[in-house]
Amino acid sequence: MYTKHELSTTRQEFWTTFGHYMKPVPNAEGRKINWKNYKTGVKHMYFRMKAERDFASISIEVQHPDSEIRGLLFDQLLAFKGIFQQEVNEEWEWMADLPNDWEGNLSKVEKKLGGVNVMEKDDWPKIISFLKPRIIAIDAFWANMKYGFEGLT
């Protein structure tokens, strides 16, 4: 078992390492970007990356508190599903109206990698190799499609 301090310190070290690894990579528009804290520019829409003790994941999350607006945003994402899949070049899981950690709901598109542990530094290359091409692909998708989400919130 790991202490809370060990978990926190190791996760922080992983994300710092990931940030250094991604720093020279420009976004789809050729600009510098903070990949870990990606700003979509659409309120209540987030790109999330996780590295946990039993998996790594990347997702686009719609967390609007109003269920109708959340539904509109997710429906718009679904309308672009073909373009999204072409960009990421693989199947992702599409999930609507899941409970979140804050007594609300969210909808998301997610890809997971099992069998990795952020606490094991030997797994870091696998986790980074999983996250890097996917966040770059999501960014390329977003550079072309983000305008389809403006005005929906």
Side-chain angles (χ1 to χ4, degrees), residues 68-101:
E68 287 185 33
I69 296 173
R70 186 175 57 253
L72 283 172
L73 289 167
F74 193 67
D75 287 347
Q76 186 71 353
L77 200 53
L78 279 168
F80 296 140
K81 184 177 182 177
I83 297 165
F84 178 81
Q85 286 182 274
Q86 206 170 16
E87 202 63 61
V88 297
N89 200 28
E90 64 188 357
E91 189 68 36
W92 286 38
E93 191 171 356
W94 296 72
M95 300 167 279
D97 290 324
L98 303 168
N100 68 20
D101 297 335

Side-chain angles (χ1 to χ4, degrees), residues 41-61:
V42 175
K43 197 170 184 179
H44 304 292
M45 283 192 79
Y46 307 96
F47 295 174
R48 299 275 194 230
M49 293 182 283
K50 294 181 182 176
E52 301 294 334
R53 288 182 283 175
D54 54 350
F55 73 93
S57 69
I58 184 166
S59 62
I60 299 175
E61 294 185 4

Side-chain angles (χ1 to χ4, degrees), residues 10 52 58 69 86 112-113 116 132 134 144 147 152:
T10 302
E52 301 294 334
I58 184 166
I69 296 173
Q86 206 170 16
K112 278 189 175 181
L113 173 67
V116 292
K132 179 185 176 185
R134 287 166 180 84
N144 293 317
Y147 305 106
L152 294 177

